[in-house]
Amino acid sequence: MTGGECRAGSTGNAVMRWPVMATYIEYLRISFHKMLAYRISYLIGVFTYGIHVAVYYYLYKALYAETETINGYKVDDMLTYVAVGWICKSFYLNYIDRELTDDVQSGQVAMDLIKPIDFQAMYFSRGLGHSAFRLVLFTPPIVVLTVLLFSVNPPADAVHAVFFIFSTLMSVLIYLGINYIIGVLAIFFLSIRGVLYSKNLVIELLSGLLVPIDWFPDWFRTMSAFLPFQGIAYYPLAIYLGRIDGVELLQAVGFQALWVVIMIGVGRFIWMLCQKRILIQGG
Amino acid sequence: MALIEVEKLSKDFSILKRDPGLKGAIWSLVRRRYETVHAVSDVSFEIQRGELVGYIGPNGAGKSTTIKMLTGILIPTSGHLRVCDFVPYRERRHYTRNIGVVFGQRTQLWWDIPVIESFNLLQKVYKVSDNDYRRRLDEFKELLNLDEILDVPVRKLSLGQRMRCDLVASMLHNPQVLFLDEPSIGLDVVGKLRIREFLQRINRETGVTMILTTHDLREIEELCNRLIIVDHGRILYDGGIGGLRTKYAFDRHIIFQLSESHPSDGWQNDLDFNGSVRWETPDPLKVKASFRKESVNPAAVISSVMKHLSVHDITIEEPEIEQIIGMIYSQGKVKQ
Amino acid sequence: MFESIKLHVTLGALYLSKFLKTRLEYKADLMLGLVTGLLFQCITLVFIDVLFARQSLTIGGWNRGHVLFIYGFSIFPLNLFFAFFPNLYNVGSKYIIEGNFDRILLRPLNSLFQILMEEVDIESLIGLIIGGAIMYYASAELELVWSLWHMPVFCLMAISGMLIYGGVFTTVASFSFWWPDRIGLMAPLFNMMAFGKYPITIFNRFLQFILMWLIPFAFVAFFPATLFMGVESFYTHALAVPVVACVSMLVGMSAWTLGVRHYESTGS
């Protein structure tokens, strides 16, 4: 984690590295446990998520009723794209943006600021805790439901499967990076809070979850090339379907890695600016 | 008939028990265990119109739960409850017109709008006539020095300022009973004093009945003519503050500062008072007499000592109310 | 009873004016809200546009014009709901977990009413302009003719849609009384609101059942829109919309009452 590296760099010895990491692992663990406490939310979450997948699945099914191929995607490919896409989302999703604004409102942020920890690394750990919870308890039932009810193809081949897994892990980090930035910004712009609730929709579109990026007109694809979002859904899914091959595989993952670094950097920079304001205003 | 009647009031909560560790947490998704906690058990008292009652007890004694039941927020598990001729939780919306409530821990005002706007809104909510509203607001404004803060949104006020505004908000509709849950928590000395004076004054002038929970016993001593002490959901004491001293019959101490050291021994024999006075000599120039207030006349003790020793100075120590209550708390726990 | 309704109505106006005033004080904030709000309306537009890039495509017999029209209409109930019910989202966190609900209970007014009145999100109404524009465009594509009697029906349908959302989310918000949770319950349902705008005929029976009778979002936009598009086979459903709205609100308010009673017996 970035925070771990940053700390280790400043203290400069290996002995310090582990205790620092342990702190963040603890945050991850606590966040995992917190999710477990909400039993009903969990059950409702699985139920509504299942419906969510089904709605988009049938939407595409209806779209393909009269034709075999649209924009180079066969029916099977597209339905797999939708199903796997939503399965992945059930894993990389987190709510740290909302947690961050809640913490500011309740004054918890002041308590975190006086602790010798890296603020961003702490929220990342909490976000990873969410994802860990989802991987263990949320995604499996969704996978079972989806595979049983709908027709889903397996990954293109073993190489693509490996790259797909790696690419999905990257999408977790990109999503975390974006959410962190939005959360920090929302501290200062009250009205973004309303937007927070529907921001998922924007990310769903820009990431290529709703429609594959290569269905879009040229201007949109050019824009996407300069934005982090397609690293969240489109790349992992295109890899899964085997639409990306050879050197392009590395390019796709490289694109994701680059954006992870940028998002973390931007997040740190914005926090640095905002932290001053928090300290001045007193939270 | 008493204004507040509480009879055998009890409140139980069931609390989720969670096993430690990951395994326990995952288990809790499927199976949950609950444990019953008796927050208030078998509490009975009556409060007459105009009384100013202190309701005290250590943290977790069940004070807030009782206040919540009295204000209609919580429904009792069992028991009988009647305030201003209402059963609070049953007719809550009518009942709340008759009471005012102040929570020290959180404000009742709207966070984002200026104080005066909150007050104006409350006037309408409680259907206070324009005349009454203006009269009361003017009076409170003066008493609590509110002029400068009325146009400020609540979130920008200091704790003391916010508390003063909350007090006004709770009194605008001229309630019959005012509930104050730790009204002075976190305030400085001046702030506390100001609130104390305000409460005394409105109690005297409007005859509003007040129930006050606090950890500040000075406040109780100055304000309340009656004290109810609770712990573990039970009443340990109900009566005046003076009565507390008599009932719990604590020692009184007289300390004599001597001008020359006392004889090493023998002198106490003449001052025995049939064994009801204990003597201590912490150092050669100091003698301490401890005895029960009702069994020995302190004047007699002083004059006898004066006859035998050369006394330079005399201090009489009454037990502090803190000590008495501390003892009641610890005894209460022993009884459990 | 009548007296009480009168009091609530006058107070409602008063509450709204006060909170609106504070909202207008933060001008930069308001502008930002408006701009982002408009941006969000465009997202689905892009989605529909990309799906129907080939003019000949239809979904379940509905063409691009139909889908756009339904979407344009769906913006009305959705944004009305966002404008007047935003505080339902905070019931679990701000009111129950942080204990502000006690304050609500100490006032001689209906508790749900108080919570709804304490926050309005007026900038959501800007979306209605976009909704109108989309409907105008789609009407031209579908060659629909509007007449005067459409207007009151339109308003009735939009408000009914808002109330359906209101009822469903009041029910969900009431769950927080039993299972207080900061985000878990509301968020997944918020995402489901989008489903009201797709033609229900494309789904399988199970989904149709859920979107009509369990979470009746199909009545929010799809059925009312068919009325204006002149699809006669759904007229009965469209006429049922106000009834569904009443039932939805009734369920919501009952759940709320039960929730408050639970809160009163357990505290938080």
Side-chain angles (χ1 to χ4, degrees):
Chain A
M1 283 297 315
T2 48
E5 280 155 24
C6 158
R7 291 280 140 190
S10 59
T11 51
N13 67 51
V15 188
M16 282 304 290
R17 190 184 296 249
W18 280 108
V20 169
M21 277 308 288
T23 314
Y24 298 114
I25 289 170
E26 190 61 16
Y27 272 108
L28 192 153
R29 210 179 59 81
I30 290 171
S31 151
F32 188 99
H33 273 244
K34 254 196 199 152
M35 303 277 288
L36 277 176
Y38 298 128
R39 176 167 66 159
I40 299 300
S41 317
Y42 167 71
L43 293 175
I44 290 183
V46 172
F47 175 71
T48 52
Y49 203 89
I51 292 176
H52 218 93
V53 183
V55 163
Y56 285 104
Y57 186 85
Y58 282 107
L59 192 65
Y60 274 100
K61 218 172 170 181
L63 195 67
Y64 273 92
E66 292 156 22
T67 168
E68 267 298 304
T69 319
I70 303 176
N71 298 327
Y73 282 76
K74 290 204 186 73
V75 194
D76 280 7
D77 282 352
M78 198 52 224
L79 293 182
T80 303
Y81 186 97
V82 175
V84 176
W86 286 96
I87 289 175
C88 288
K89 193 188 174 181
S90 75
F91 165 54
Y92 60 68
L93 186 70
N94 65 66
Y95 293 105
I96 56 164
D97 48 347
R98 172 103 185 160
E99 278 189 11
L100 217 155
T101 48
D102 278 345
D103 285 355
V104 170
Q105 269 178 326
S106 66
Q108 177 65 34
V109 158
M111 302 312 296
D112 289 329
L113 280 176
I114 58 170
K115 286 183 194 127
I117 46 170
D118 184 86
F119 196 74
Q120 191 187 35
M122 180 191 76
Y123 276 100
F124 268 53
S125 310
R126 285 161 70 167
L128 289 175
H130 287 200
S131 285
F133 168 84
R134 290 168 165 278
L135 183 66
V136 178
L137 286 163
F138 197 85
T139 308
I142 301 291
V143 171
V144 171
L145 276 177
T146 312
V147 173
L148 280 182
L149 296 175
F150 311 133
S151 56
V152 182
N153 292 339
D157 56 49
V159 177
H160 282 88
V162 172
F163 267 90
F164 165 71
I165 291 171
F166 189 70
S167 178
T168 307
L169 292 176
M170 291 291 219
S171 64
V172 174
L173 293 176
I174 299 178
Y175 198 85
L176 264 172
I178 293 173
N179 255 356
Y180 178 78
I181 292 171
I182 294 176
V184 172
L185 286 177
I187 298 174
F188 298 96
F189 303 104
L190 282 166
S191 53
I192 290 194
R193 272 171 215 168
V195 173
L196 273 187
Y197 315 141
S198 39
K199 132 216 120 179
N200 281 333
L201 193 64
V202 179
I203 296 186
E204 279 168 14
L205 186 84
L206 292 178
S207 67
L209 179 62
L210 292 181
V211 194
I213 298 289
D214 43 7
W215 284 34
F216 284 96
D218 283 340
W219 65 268
F220 190 96
R221 272 188 281 175
T222 318
M223 182 184 79
S224 288
F226 293 98
L227 290 172
F229 301 104
Q230 59 177 333
I232 296 174
Y234 177 66
Y235 278 144
L237 294 172
I239 291 174
Y240 185 95
L241 291 177
R243 298 182 68 85
I244 294 182
D245 227 343
V247 191
E248 282 185 332
L249 274 177
L250 290 171
Q251 276 175 352
V253 178
F255 173 91
Q256 288 183 302
L258 181 69
W259 272 107
V260 171
V261 175
I262 295 175
M263 286 288 112
I264 289 171
V266 172
R268 297 192 84 78
F269 180 69
I270 296 181
W271 172 247
M272 220 172 64
L273 298 180
C274 291
Q275 197 179 3
K276 271 188 205 143
R277 266 186 73 175
I278 285 197
L279 291 177
I280 293 164
Q281 290 182 333
Chain B
M1 206 177 64
L3 190 66
I4 300 178
E5 290 171 20
V6 175
E7 212 186 308
K8 292 194 177 341
L9 191 69
S10 297
K11 181 73 204 173
D12 298 339
F13 291 117
S14 52
I15 305 283
L16 178 65
K17 284 278 284 181
R18 201 166 275 147
D19 296 322
L22 184 62
K23 213 175 128 196
I26 291 179
W27 251 122
S28 74
L29 280 177
V30 194
R31 192 185 54 191
R32 307 212 146 174
R33 289 190 295 120
Y34 293 90
E35 194 170 74
T36 306
V37 173
H38 308 285
V40 172
S41 34
D42 245 359
V43 164
S44 306
F45 56 81
E46 281 189 355
I47 292 173
Q48 306 295 328
R49 195 173 289 277
E51 269 194 282
L52 222 164
V53 178
Y55 201 77
I56 66 168
N59 290 328
K63 294 178 306 237
S64 288
T65 307
T66 311
I67 294 282
K68 281 185 179 175
M69 286 192 281
L70 287 172
T71 49
I73 297 176
L74 266 182
I75 301 175
T77 308
S78 65
H80 167 81
L81 181 61
R82 208 163 174 81
V83 188
C84 311
D85 264 333
F86 286 95
V87 177
Y89 58 92
R90 209 174 288 155
E91 302 140 281
R92 196 185 56 239
R93 260 158 65 189
H94 293 286
Y95 169 66
T96 48
R97 293 190 182 281
N98 296 280
I99 60 165
V101 186
V102 175
F103 291 118
Q105 308 268 27
R106 65 174 70 104
T107 183
Q108 305 234 51
L109 300 165
W110 289 274
W111 199 240
D112 290 316
I113 63 177
V115 176
I116 185 71
E117 298 278 356
S118 276
F119 290 168
N120 290 342
L121 201 50
L122 287 173
Q123 180 207 346
K124 298 286 187 295
V125 169
Y126 288 97
K127 297 190 210 161
V128 182
S129 75
D130 286 349
N131 261 337
D132 286 349
Y133 173 64
R134 217 163 300 131
R135 206 190 58 240
R136 282 177 206 143
L137 191 59
D138 283 344
E139 189 193 334
F140 296 150
K141 223 158 61 178
E142 206 188 301
L143 275 176
L144 287 169
N145 232 340
L146 295 181
D147 273 318
E148 282 159 31
I149 53 179
L150 280 182
D151 295 321
V152 181
V154 176
R155 67 190 143 82
K156 290 194 175 150
L157 296 180
S158 75
L159 189 61
Q161 291 171 328
R162 205 210 74 202
M163 202 60 232
R164 271 140 61 198
C165 295
D166 259 314
L167 273 174
V168 173
S170 68
M171 285 300 295
L172 280 175
H173 53 292
N174 194 28
Q176 298 187 53
V177 189
L178 182 59
F179 296 94
L180 303 141
D181 194 9
E182 306 195 26
S184 61
I185 193 161
L187 297 191
D188 60 28
V189 185
V190 185
K192 281 184 180 181
L193 200 68
R194 203 178 237 157
I195 283 178
R196 214 179 287 164
E197 279 168 1
F198 177 77
L199 292 177
Q200 256 161 349
R201 179 137 175 201
I202 56 171
N203 174 253
R204 207 168 50 228
E205 284 176 3
T206 67
V208 59
T209 310
M210 290 187 194
I211 297 184
L212 170 78
T213 78
T214 179
H215 287 293
D216 184 348
L217 295 162
R218 277 292 298 281
E219 207 161 78
I220 296 276
E221 260 186 305
E222 304 254 327
L223 273 176
C224 305
N225 32 36
R226 180 175 159 198
L227 195 57
I228 297 177
I229 304 178
V230 287
D231 197 7
H232 297 282
R234 289 169 197 285
I235 291 187
L236 300 179
Y237 176 81
D238 181 357
I241 291 182
L244 193 65
R245 290 212 166 91
T246 341
K247 183 173 177 193
Y248 283 82
F250 291 94
D251 283 359
R252 175 178 282 193
H253 312 282
I254 304 178
I255 296 162
F256 300 92
Q257 198 72 46
L258 307 180
S259 45
E260 51 191 66
S261 44
H262 54 75
S264 48
D265 56 358
W267 56 274
Q268 292 108 319
N269 297 343
D270 294 335
L271 305 172
D272 195 21
F273 292 93
N274 302 323
S276 50
V277 176
R278 275 179 296 114
W279 296 96
E280 280 168 81
T281 50
D283 65 70
L285 286 176
K286 205 185 251 173
V287 170
K288 185 176 172 189
S290 308
F291 50 88
R292 295 222 152 179
K293 199 172 157 185
E294 69 282 3
S295 55
V296 176
N297 179 359
V301 175
I302 294 173
S303 67
S304 325
V305 172
M306 300 279 269
K307 267 185 232 152
H308 291 81
L309 303 167
S310 54
V311 175
H312 168 65
D313 194 8
I314 299 173
T315 342
I316 300 179
E317 275 182 2
E318 285 270 17
E320 291 283 324
I321 184 122
E322 267 99 344
Q323 285 172 294
I324 300 176
I325 286 164
M327 270 191 65
I328 296 176
Y329 286 178
S330 53
Q331 282 177 359
K333 269 174 206 143
V334 171
K335 272 184 221 154
Q336 293 273 315
Chain C
M1 179 67 193
F2 186 72
E3 185 71 8
S4 161
I5 291 174
K6 211 179 102 189
L7 176 75
H8 279 81
V9 169
T10 23
L11 278 173
L14 203 66
Y15 262 82
L16 284 182
S17 73
K18 295 235 186 297
F19 290 100
L20 223 59
K21 230 191 287 174
T22 47
R23 207 77 190 77
L24 293 172
E25 273 170 25
Y26 305 94
K27 287 210 180 57
D29 217 45
L30 192 68
M31 282 312 292
L32 198 72
L34 290 179
V35 172
T36 43
L38 286 177
L39 205 76
F40 278 95
Q41 303 299 341
C42 301
I43 298 290
T44 310
L45 211 54
V46 175
F47 178 52
I48 294 172
D49 198 59
V50 174
L51 277 191
F52 292 93
R54 272 201 269 159
Q55 293 288 339
S56 61
L57 280 180
T58 60
I59 50 170
W62 305 91
N63 64 25
R64 196 177 102 113
H66 290 125
V67 175
L68 275 178
F69 188 90
I70 303 169
Y71 173 56
F73 179 81
S74 78
I75 290 179
F76 284 83
L78 185 72
N79 282 266
L80 285 172
F81 170 77
F82 279 145
F84 297 112
F85 293 79
N87 223 11
L88 284 180
Y89 207 95
N90 301 323
V91 170
S93 54
K94 187 175 155 197
Y95 290 94
I96 296 172
I97 294 180
E98 285 165 34
N100 281 308
F101 197 67
D102 286 353
R103 179 198 74 200
I104 298 289
L105 285 183
L106 290 172
R107 301 251 161 79
L109 298 174
N110 179 286
S111 53
L112 179 59
F113 168 83
Q114 289 184 66
I115 287 184
L116 291 182
M117 286 302 128
E118 284 191 4
E119 201 177 310
V120 278
D121 190 16
I122 211 68
E123 56 260 50
S124 291
L125 293 180
I126 194 88
L128 302 189
I129 298 171
I130 305 255
I134 296 173
M135 284 182 72
Y136 180 81
Y137 173 83
S139 301
E141 204 169 296
L142 295 172
E143 293 168 358
L144 296 180
V145 186
W146 287 80
S147 53
L148 209 59
W149 69 266
H150 279 110
M151 278 303 124
V153 178
F154 182 87
C155 294
L156 176 72
M157 290 297 171
I159 291 171
S160 298
M162 171 188 82
L163 292 178
I164 292 175
Y165 280 145
V168 169
F169 283 98
T170 304
T171 311
V172 177
S174 308
F175 290 171
S176 321
F177 287 110
W178 286 274
W179 311 290
D181 180 350
R182 280 183 179 276
I183 38 169
L185 289 175
M186 289 302 252
L189 226 67
F190 253 70
N191 294 335
M192 283 188 66
M193 294 173 91
F195 304 154
K197 63 183 178 240
Y198 301 119
I200 192 162
T201 51
I202 64 169
F203 301 128
N204 70 353
R205 291 200 157 274
F206 177 70
L207 275 184
Q208 286 182 2
F209 174 80
I210 288 182
L211 288 175
M212 282 171 71
W213 307 117
L214 187 64
I215 312 163
F217 287 170
F219 286 93
V220 172
F222 175 65
F223 290 135
T226 57
L227 187 67
F228 301 110
M229 292 191 296
V231 186
E232 287 173 24
S233 51
F234 291 117
Y235 276 4
T236 14
H237 288 93
L239 292 175
V241 168
V243 181
V244 175
C246 291
V247 173
S248 171
M249 273 318 277
L250 222 61
V251 170
M253 288 187 318
S254 314
W256 184 267
T257 311
L258 285 177
V260 173
R261 205 166 296 157
H262 180 80
Y263 181 88
E264 288 170 331
S265 58
T266 54
S268 58

